[in-house]
Amino acid sequence: VQLQASGGGLVQAGGSLKLSCAASGRTFGSYSIGWFRQAPGKEREFVAVIGQSGHMLRYADSVRGRFTVSRDNAKNTVYLQMNSLKPEDTAVYYCAADRYWTITATEYDYWGQGTQVTVSS
């Protein structure tokens, strides 16, 4: 499966962005999709994950209550709605796919190219 993340940009603190992860392939519904982010000088970190059917969700503590992950299997797309953004949310955001539900980046087989999110104070 091939993934393409989009929707990043520059936003003021307190603002919102909605990221999209569009996938190719007819088996999109067989994959769990994770969102990760990497800030300059830091390791890639888990943000959120959604299971194949959209019912198994988990969020990092740092984004819980502010970010919402969802998916539309008919459109082969997963979304990450980000509200109440903070400067510390600034990073390149990546989506990844795997047939198994996991929050561990190294266990994902497929990755998108990343989209930059910058939150100004």
Side-chain angles (χ1 to χ4, degrees):
V1 60
Q2 293 184 325
L3 305 173
Q4 184 169 359
S6 63
L10 173 64
V11 64
Q12 290 187 334
S16 298
L17 283 174
K18 187 173 185 177
L19 306 184
S20 297
C21 177
S24 63
R26 294 174 291 177
T27 60
F28 175 73
S30 299
Y31 292 86
S32 291
I33 304 295
W35 285 97
F36 296 82
R37 66 187 182 186
Q38 188 166 19
K42 295 186 177 181
E43 293 186 353
R44 189 168 298 190
E45 66 173 354
F46 166 75
V47 175
V49 61
I50 186 166
Q52 290 92 331
S53 64
H55 296 304
M56 292 181 65
L57 309 176
R58 183 172 290 182
Y59 299 92
D61 289 344
S62 58
V63 307
R64 187 175 295 113
R66 299 187 297 122
F67 291 11
T68 303
V69 62
S70 62
R71 68 188 296 161
D72 184 341
N73 286 345
K75 295 183 178 180
N76 279 14
T77 303
V78 170
Y79 304 99
L80 185 67
Q81 177 67 47
M82 306 186 297
N83 299 328
S84 302
L85 284 162
K86 304 175 181 180
E88 51 264 43
D89 293 318
T90 296
V92 177
Y93 283 70
Y94 300 88
C95 59
D98 196 85
R99 290 192 178 274
Y100 297 98
W101 189 96
T102 178
I103 66 170
T104 303
T106 55
E107 295 179 356
Y108 279 85
D109 289 333
Y110 305 98
W111 288 83
Q113 84 288 2
T115 184
Q116 176 71 46
V117 172
T118 303
V119 184
S120 63
S121 57

